[in-house]
Amino acid sequence: MRRSSTIALVAGLAAAGTLTAVASLPNVRNSRMLHPFSKKPIVVPGEDGAGRLLFSGWRVQPAGRPLSVGDMPYAGAFSPDGKLFAVANSGYTRHELHLIDVASEKEVAALPMNTSWNGICWSPDGSRLFVSGGAQNRTADIHVFVRGGDGAWQAGTGLKLTGNTPERSCIGGLAISADGKTLFAANISDDHLYVLTGDGTPLARVPVGDHPGACQLSADGKTLYVANWGGSEAVAVDVSSPEQPKLTRRFTVGKHPADLTLSKDDRLFVACSSADQVSVVDLKTGQTTETIRTTLTPNAPGGTTPDAVTLSPDGKTLYVANADNNNVCVADVSQRGRSRVRGFIPTGWYPTTVRVTPDGKKVIIGTGKGQGTGTNVTRVEPNGPPRRVHHGNLLRGILSFVDTPDDRALADYTRIVRANTPYNNDKLRQQADSRVKTAIPNRVGDSSPIKYVLYIIKENRTYDQVFGDLPQGNADPSLVMFGRDVTPNHHALAEEFVLLDNLYCSGEVSQDGHPWSTSAYATAFTQRSWVLGYSGKGKPADEPSVNDPVTGYFWEACKAKGLTFRSYGEYRNHPTLAGNVSEPYSGKVQPGENPPGRDFEKADVFIREFKEMERENRIPRFTVMSLGEDHTSGTRPGTFTPQACVASNDVALGKIVETISKSSVWKEFAIFVIEDDAQNGPDHIDSHRTIGLVISPYTRRKTIDSTLYTTCSMLRTMELILGLPPMTQYDAAATPMFASFTDKADLTPYTGLPARIDLMAKNPGTAVGARESMKLDFTEYDRLTVAEEDTLNRVLWHSIKGKDVPYPGATRSAIAP
């Protein structure tokens, strides 16, 4: 089913005739609202008929009967008698083991854990449950829950692995022998398989590969199969002698295998999350005999993310959770070598587990992020003080109980999935036509008058924090923290060029925000890792082997096209940027020179190099820049005040834009500016809404563009300018920023505005929040956990708003409509 987006340009006078409102109206229903300034309908995330429109522009409408659980329910297993289903949620919110009565679909127990992750298994007699401990778990590497004589469940004594340290522990998968005497645990953080007795006595430890994740024991109990998440392989370990396990075979599969399952006819099905496929291995020959693509269309680029897999009890049907496509793929695997995809079941946002009841009558689907986020601000009273929650707390995992669909029901489900998915194969070649001609090509490879692109990635601000004082935008002025007095250049650029008041970060936090900002994707491992690290529950070992997207980064696409590129700070140590990084910008200067510390100093480094490259006619076609002092260092005594940090960032931006706009290449230039994520502030529309700028002679000047855009929209627009194909389904499906551009160049240059506050102002020892700020690590932008970010946010709020202004404090309210 083809689904193309239509851009409707709604023009009208605004702000005494100085601004024009522009809105995009995709074919959605109840998620519209009237723009408070233009009074034109705009599309925002929220309820959308029977489903919900996500901030990403994708829509969810989960099938089945929902049961609320915590976010990221990875592991799920049925009790030996099939009456209970155990699932552990291991995300940002409180970790719990949920026990569900399969017949009634009701929860019978919720048992807390301090941190957990990716594995679960029952003892053969059903009296004990083992759940993998999360990263750096100092109390137990494996949680143990026991059923008492009265049938009630409670926590038992947890198990510790020997031969590792707490910093190198995060269990990716668990399995137990049929007699319950031997327990197997795959430790993703030290690349070893651990073998223990059922009561935790260590038996053996054997290296198995890069980030071993899911594991499953063969029916005869002699072989354990393990998926090596970072190694593009599954391995077989002979465990017939538990004290002497031996790795016997390696099977090459697709990239980032996240889960696996065994059939009764000696086939191993491996869900390869970054390859968008299930690799089918014939265990008799050791060869991959089939590759089942789980994408909605066969030619789709990366971005489906199959991260969980299971078989029906009769072994004829394979179910695969497609995390980033919000569906479960259903495949007929009854004939060896002739598998076929039958259809898709719609799910909530980011499915993370799928299981079929032992009687085959129900499919249980665990959804990692529920049905979207929404605003992170609530008010107990209409005009009362705001209360804020980090959007990690807005993630609401659900279990959906779906009656196993026959062909007709599956066909209906598939139609829903297609309708909810904005991607189609046509977008690989051509985007939907805009109703007016602009400098942005509609077709990949068509020419653009824009030749050079500068992409600036900043740190963590919401729209309302900065632009909430612009009455012409969709804003809440009570949430402003860094308004025009602190950010005069941001405000002037938004008003002189285009105000984007419906722009959303594709990532949640910096850990996934930077991959989203540079590759239009974040791997399944990254998604499962940040919810632990940012919630203070430890951080799994997450090297590039599990984090780097298979589809590559933007500069890699440039290299493949033969385009020059350069980085100023962003991913400066990544091997794919070797030889194309500004070393002085990152602090590597000549003896006697002072490294740039502040953003306005870094801007001087860029300007110096830019002018040199301009003289030598070697300006890169694509430049990416990290400009992140707007993150601030809180009120740590002796450091620059939050306002001074943000003002420094603002001055730097103004200087950079002025230099380019007064250069010889201005007539062929475009500058895109966005935050990597919006985690550090309140917003009255959605916790992902952020500030962004599009600055070019071809910008539709003095307009308000209220199109629902994302980070991926910026990436797609830059790709179209540079003649690059989409990297993933997400940038392919994103709405390009046609409405922000025109085909007529206005070469009027921009003159940067000076700071309105003291850039050198420092925090005194008596500053509000000084003591709390001293405890935070600001050596890198992204070192803080979410708990620490919340501390920083409180410090910023009270230092700017005053001690007596109530902080938009954390609340556990339901998802806002």
Side-chain angles (χ1 to χ4, degrees):
M1 176 178 179
R2 180 175 176 176
R3 195 179 170 203
S4 60
S5 59
T6 301
I7 292 185
L9 302 180
V10 183
L13 294 178
T18 61
L19 291 173
T20 301
V22 183
S24 176
L25 305 177
N27 183 26
V28 296
R29 294 166 291 193
N30 297 336
S31 53
R32 291 184 181 179
M33 65 179 292
L34 291 181
H35 192 284
F37 181 71
S38 69
K39 304 304 180 184
K40 300 293 183 180
I42 60 173
V43 174
V44 297
E47 295 300 328
D48 184 21
R52 190 174 183 90
L53 182 69
L54 302 178
F55 67 91
S56 63
W58 293 57
R59 191 172 175 274
V60 292
Q61 186 179 343
R65 300 168 294 280
L67 177 68
S68 179
V69 294
D71 62 312
M72 295 296 188
Y74 303 141
F78 292 98
S79 59
D81 62 8
K83 294 181 179 180
L84 290 178
F85 181 68
V87 63
N89 72 285
S90 307
Y92 175 84
T93 59
R94 182 183 183 184
H95 289 192
E96 291 181 312
L97 171 65
H98 303 270
L99 295 175
I100 316 297
D101 180 82
V102 174
S104 67
E105 301 174 2
K106 303 294 185 182
E107 183 172 271
V108 296
L111 305 168
M113 298 173 285
N114 59 344
T115 178
S116 62
W117 215 49
N118 210 40
I120 190 170
C121 64
W122 293 78
S123 64
D125 63 1
S127 65
R128 290 188 298 168
L129 262 168
F130 302 90
V131 181
S132 62
Q136 301 164 28
N137 193 336
R138 298 185 180 277
T139 58
D141 294 313
I142 301 171
H143 300 287
V144 180
F145 295 90
V146 296
R147 183 171 56 191
D150 59 356
W153 287 85
Q154 62 184 8
T157 302
L159 309 181
K160 294 291 292 183
L161 304 181
T162 61
N164 75 314
T165 64
E167 290 73 24
R168 302 294 295 175
S169 175
C170 187
I171 307 304
L174 291 173
I176 195 167
S177 61
D179 59 9
K181 294 181 179 180
T182 310
L183 186 65
F184 305 94
N187 188 351
I188 64 167
S189 288
D190 72 357
D191 300 341
H192 281 71
L193 172 70
Y194 288 74
V195 185
L196 311 87
T197 64
D199 61 4
T201 301
L203 296 175
R205 174 175 177 262
V206 59
V208 289
D210 188 352
H211 287 75
C215 61
Q216 186 170 340
L217 199 59
S218 61
D220 62 9
K222 296 180 179 180
T223 306
L224 186 78
Y225 295 94
V226 183
N228 285 335
W229 210 318
S232 298
E233 66 176 4
V235 298
V237 182
D238 181 351
V239 293
S240 56
S241 175
E243 295 83 1
Q244 296 179 316
K246 297 179 181 179
L247 195 154
T248 57
R249 288 196 291 178
R250 295 183 183 273
F251 313 108
T252 300
V253 297
K255 191 69 173 176
H256 294 157
D259 196 14
L260 51 73
T261 192
L262 287 163
S263 69
K264 297 176 182 178
D265 61 355
D266 291 323
R267 284 181 291 172
L268 179 68
F269 295 86
V270 186
C272 306
S273 60
S274 288
D276 294 349
Q277 69 184 46
V278 173
S279 295
V280 186
V281 178
D282 185 332
L283 294 178
K284 295 178 180 178
T285 66
Q287 301 298 310
T288 297
T289 57
E290 275 192 291
T291 297
I292 303 171
R293 290 274 289 171
T294 65
T295 54
L296 193 59
T297 58
N299 299 324
T304 293
T305 318
D307 66 345
V309 62
T310 197
L311 282 163
S312 59
D314 62 10
K316 295 181 179 181
T317 305
L318 187 76
Y319 297 87
V320 188
N322 286 329
D324 277 302
N325 280 178
N326 309 320
N327 66 54
V328 165
C329 175
V330 182
D332 180 348
V333 295
S334 58
Q335 299 185 59
R336 297 176 71 99
R338 299 176 62 184
S339 300
R340 65 180 182 88
V341 173
R342 292 176 49 216
F344 300 85
I345 301 172
T347 71
W349 179 21
Y350 210 85
T352 47
T353 192
V354 59
R355 295 290 184 265
V356 182
T357 54
D359 61 9
K361 294 182 179 180
K362 298 178 185 178
V363 182
I364 301 179
I365 303 167
T367 297
K369 302 183 182 183
Q371 297 195 65
T373 46
T375 181
N376 59 347
V377 180
T378 61
R379 284 180 167 84
V380 177
E381 300 175 0
N383 297 316
R387 294 186 177 183
R388 173 189 173 268
V389 60
H390 185 276
H391 54 218
N393 275 321
L394 294 174
L395 303 178
R396 293 287 186 268
I398 56 174
L399 286 183
S400 295
F401 296 84
V402 182
D403 295 329
T404 303
D406 57 18
D407 288 342
R408 182 173 180 178
L410 188 58
D412 290 338
Y413 281 149
T414 302
R415 281 190 286 271
I416 293 173
V417 169
R418 291 187 182 278
N420 288 341
T421 304
Y423 170 81
N424 62 65
N425 284 341
D426 291 342
K427 293 188 176 182
L428 294 176
R429 301 179 299 275
Q430 180 171 350
Q431 293 291 331
D433 292 334
S434 61
R435 299 213 178 158
V436 294
K437 185 177 180 181
T438 77
I440 310 302
N442 290 325
R443 292 181 60 89
V444 175
D446 284 358
S447 63
S448 170
I450 301 171
K451 184 177 180 181
Y452 305 101
V453 170
L454 169 61
Y455 181 34
I456 299 176
I457 303 172
K458 301 182 337 91
E459 286 288 329
N460 302 15
R461 297 291 147 223
T462 64
Y463 181 92
D464 279 335
Q465 276 187 303
V466 179
F467 287 156
D469 58 350
L470 289 175
Q472 63 269 36
N474 189 0
D476 185 340
S478 72
L479 302 177
V480 177
M481 296 174 64
F482 304 106
R484 192 185 297 268
D485 59 329
V486 180
T487 54
N489 284 289
H490 282 74
H491 283 68
L493 289 166
E495 292 177 323
E496 175 62 28
F497 291 90
V498 59
L499 175 62
L500 305 169
D501 66 351
N502 203 15
L503 170 67
Y504 302 85
C505 286
S506 296
E508 260 87 55
V509 297
S510 291
Q511 186 174 341
D512 71 320
H514 283 280
W516 274 111
S517 298
T518 53
S519 66
Y521 186 70
T523 68
F525 196 95
T526 300
Q527 294 282 9
R528 295 182 183 216
S529 175
W530 82 254
V531 290
L532 287 186
Y534 277 73
S535 60
K537 298 182 178 72
K539 186 177 181 180
D542 54 352
E543 287 85 2
S545 64
V546 288
N547 281 335
D548 279 354
V550 175
T551 48
Y553 295 96
F554 199 99
W555 50 86
E556 293 183 82
C558 289
K559 184 177 181 179
K561 186 73 174 179
L563 303 180
T564 54
F565 56 92
R566 189 168 178 79
S567 171
Y568 288 83
E570 187 71 11
Y571 279 88
R572 62 186 182 273
N573 295 320
H574 201 279
T576 58
L577 279 168
N580 294 283
V581 174
S582 171
E583 300 294 352
Y585 189 90
S586 300
K588 298 179 181 179
V589 297
Q590 298 299 318
E593 294 181 347
N594 293 321
R598 309 288 304 281
D599 276 357
F600 68 82
E601 295 170 332
K602 292 181 178 181
D604 290 336
V605 173
F606 169 79
I607 290 167
R608 182 174 67 247
E609 291 191 0
F610 180 85
K611 290 182 176 179
E612 179 182 343
M613 292 186 292
E614 181 186 13
R615 289 192 300 270
E616 298 175 358
N617 193 30
R618 58 180 182 89
I619 293 174
R621 295 290 302 279
F622 174 71
T623 301
V624 62
M625 176 184 294
S626 172
L627 198 70
E629 197 179 351
D630 58 333
H631 185 282
T632 84
S633 297
T635 56
R636 178 189 290 263
T639 63
F640 297 103
T641 67
Q643 295 93 327
C645 290
V646 177
S648 168
N649 177 268
D650 180 79
V651 168
L653 180 63
K655 292 166 70 172
I656 290 169
V657 174
E658 176 175 354
T659 298
I660 294 173
S661 71
K662 294 180 179 179
S663 72
S664 60
V665 294
W666 173 233
K667 61 182 180 296
E668 301 174 294
F669 221 100
I671 304 169
F672 295 84
V673 185
I674 196 171
E675 309 287 306
D676 72 310
D677 65 73
Q679 66 169 310
N680 277 13
D683 190 88
H684 81 286
I685 294 296
D686 190 277
S687 60
H688 296 81
R689 195 171 67 130
T690 193
I691 61 170
L693 297 165
V694 175
I695 304 158
S696 171
Y698 292 94
T699 301
R700 192 179 301 275
R701 297 214 180 199
K702 294 182 172 60
T703 59
I704 308 168
D705 185 356
S706 295
T707 309
L708 194 159
Y709 293 134
T710 64
T711 304
C712 291
S713 296
M714 278 199 174
L715 291 170
R716 190 73 203 105
T717 306
M718 291 186 286
E719 289 165 346
L720 289 169
I721 288 172
L722 296 174
L724 304 176
M727 294 177 286
T728 73
Q729 295 169 41
Y730 269 84
D731 51 334
T735 302
M737 305 180 81
F738 293 127
S740 289
F741 286 86
T742 180
D743 63 337
K744 300 293 189 297
D746 181 345
L747 298 178
T748 305
Y750 177 77
T751 299
L753 299 176
R756 295 186 179 184
I757 65 171
D758 182 5
L759 295 182
M760 308 308 292
K762 293 188 175 181
N763 296 305
T766 57
V768 174
R771 181 180 303 174
E772 291 84 352
S773 296
M774 286 290 290
K775 300 176 183 178
L776 304 179
D777 182 358
F778 294 108
T779 56
E780 294 283 348
Y781 295 140
D782 306 330
R783 285 188 180 274
L784 303 185
T785 68
V786 166
E788 292 169 329
E789 293 283 4
D790 184 66
T791 298
L792 174 60
N793 294 340
R794 290 174 182 272
V795 167
L796 294 179
W797 179 270
H798 289 301
S799 68
I800 294 167
K801 295 285 192 176
K803 293 182 180 180
D804 297 330
V805 178
Y807 172 70
T811 177
R812 301 279 177 169
S813 63
I815 296 173

